[in-house]
Amino acid sequence: MRVLVVASTPEWTAGARLLTQLAAGLAARGDVVAMATALGSATERAVEQGWPRLSLRSVSGAGGLRQAWSLRGIVTALRPDALLVGREGDAVLAAFAIRTRGGIVHRVAADEYVARPGTAAVRSPAAAGAAESAPLPWRACLALARTPITRWGDTRLALGWPSPPVDDTAAHATVVHRLPLTAPAVVLVPGRSHDEGTAAALRALAHLRTRRPDLRVLLVGATAALQGTRLHAASLDLAAALEIVPVEALFHHELGYACAAWITAPGDHGALATLAAMQQRLPTVVAVDAPFAELVTHGATGYHVSADNTVVVVAELARLLADVDAQRAVGGAAAARAAREFGWEAFVDEAALLLARAAGVSGARITRRSALTPA
């Protein structure tokens, strides 16, 4: 099956990262996969550097119509059976490009996800209102009406990430960073802006440090983008405990030496960070109203935090820092849940089946070869 993955966003987002890794996974199972990114974008540069074996095409043009014609040229040259996209704008571009010659699978982002009944998360009212109130141009409506689009992730999180390359994640991370395994550290993954959730997490970690003065806080992200978070941490006397680590360290499973993770990032960034932390056997804290909160089973694989129970969550983290066996039990449960519910191979197979159905191809293969991992 021939698949074209479209990620025209200019920024290198978590959603684009996931689509790229998924493209590599589809290629590893034997499908012919190419990826289309915006010309000169950060996404294009990241794919070229991290996944050099992926076939890459550039979508040119400043406006939506020019990009649509550019993508149509790529589709005409490659003749894919189906297109895989990760956002509404790319779905419209793909519908223009492929028309009635194939199908489209649209992976729904985590912040657009509608949780199952009984789970903590609900769709963001702002996201729902924007989806309902923003009218599409008539050309977009016509293209979407003519092209079948399969939405993937409306009722269950469409999420996965490759598992750690070694069984003992903590030992691997200790070798990589040359830090003592006994150093107590909590991973904090904030969003791009310093919001109230991140501020609350910093206050909680500052309180936790009064119980464990040797606590380290591993702040995940780019230094320039974390200026507000760093200033707030300094005002809470956390500057000496703070260490900036790149986001690649989290997604490449190099933080397994930590004791826990606290995720405040929204959307796909937060969802992927939560899954990667769980894969590294880290008890994980997420907001109770986060769209991806169901990843974490409260009390078993981590904790749901809210304004009402922050003190309780801090006490639980303090208990885990003091009890290695309890920490390993919760972390092991987190890793087991990540593998069972959001395993990478099952995620790739689900994508392949949906793409095959969208393209009208029967009997999707389950053959595998070594994965195309980042260089």
Side-chain angles (χ1 to χ4, degrees):
M1 182 172 60
R2 297 185 300 273
V3 179
L4 178 63
V5 180
V6 182
S8 69
T9 175
E11 299 178 344
W12 180 233
T13 63
R17 183 189 295 269
L18 178 56
L19 282 184
T20 305
Q21 191 67 54
L22 183 53
L26 290 169
R29 68 188 305 279
D31 294 314
V32 179
V33 182
M35 190 158 185
T37 60
L39 180 64
S41 65
T43 299
E44 183 180 61
R45 292 191 297 271
V47 175
E48 287 177 338
Q49 296 171 8
W51 290 263
R53 286 181 283 176
L54 271 179
S55 176
L56 188 62
R57 299 291 187 274
S58 297
V59 177
S60 59
L65 191 56
R66 292 183 178 180
Q67 287 184 334
W69 279 107
S70 176
L71 185 59
R72 180 175 291 186
I74 296 173
V75 168
T76 301
L78 299 181
R79 296 187 177 277
D81 299 305
L83 273 65
L84 175 63
V85 301
R87 62 191 189 102
E88 195 70 38
D90 285 342
V92 174
L93 290 179
F96 268 115
I98 202 168
R99 293 175 287 183
T100 59
R101 293 182 297 181
I104 299 171
V105 174
H106 174 197
R107 178 195 165 266
V108 177
D111 51 2
E112 299 176 2
Y113 165 66
V114 181
R116 298 191 299 272
T119 59
V122 294
R123 184 173 183 177
S124 163
E132 293 173 2
S133 62
L136 292 173
W138 68 268
R139 289 189 180 90
C141 293
L142 178 61
L144 294 173
R146 295 175 58 188
T147 308
I149 297 181
T150 302
R151 290 179 62 85
W152 177 27
D154 264 336
T155 57
R156 184 182 185 276
L157 275 172
L159 192 67
W161 193 251
S163 298
V166 294
D167 292 334
D168 190 352
T169 308
H172 173 67
T174 305
V175 172
V176 171
H177 286 267
R178 307 190 186 285
L179 291 176
L181 189 62
T182 55
V186 174
V187 177
L188 176 59
V189 185
R192 293 191 175 187
S193 60
H194 184 66
D195 57 11
E196 178 54 34
T198 303
L202 284 175
R203 290 192 294 268
L205 292 175
H207 179 57
L208 180 60
R209 196 162 181 257
T210 61
R211 302 188 180 193
R212 290 297 300 262
D214 56 345
L215 178 70
R216 302 287 296 173
V217 178
L218 307 179
L219 191 60
V220 177
T223 302
L226 297 173
Q227 187 68 17
T229 302
R230 293 168 62 199
L231 289 173
H232 190 191
S235 71
L236 296 171
D237 199 23
L238 281 175
L242 212 61
E243 179 182 345
I244 308 297
V245 296
V247 69
E248 285 75 16
L250 176 64
F251 291 132
H252 292 173
H253 304 103
E254 297 172 1
L255 300 181
Y257 61 89
C259 300
W262 195 310
I263 313 297
T264 64
D268 281 335
H269 187 187
L272 275 180
T274 299
L275 184 58
M278 292 171 65
Q279 289 174 336
Q280 295 173 81
R281 302 177 179 273
L282 300 181
T284 306
V285 180
V286 299
V288 68
D289 58 350
F292 49 86
E294 68 179 67
L295 283 168
V296 175
T297 303
H298 183 70
T301 66
Y303 305 98
H304 292 159
V305 66
S306 65
D308 298 330
N309 74 339
T310 304
V311 175
V312 176
V313 171
V314 169
E316 287 295 320
L317 288 179
R319 180 180 66 84
L320 292 182
L321 292 180
D323 188 343
V324 176
D325 291 336
Q327 177 191 326
R328 289 177 177 173
V330 177
R337 174 168 170 76
R340 182 179 65 252
E341 300 292 337
F342 300 94
W344 177 247
E345 291 190 352
F347 180 66
V348 175
D349 286 345
E350 185 179 5
L353 288 171
L354 290 173
L355 287 164
R357 290 172 184 170
V361 178
S362 60
R365 300 187 309 279
I366 310 296
T367 57
R368 302 188 187 285
R369 49 199 178 97
S370 57
L372 296 175
T373 54

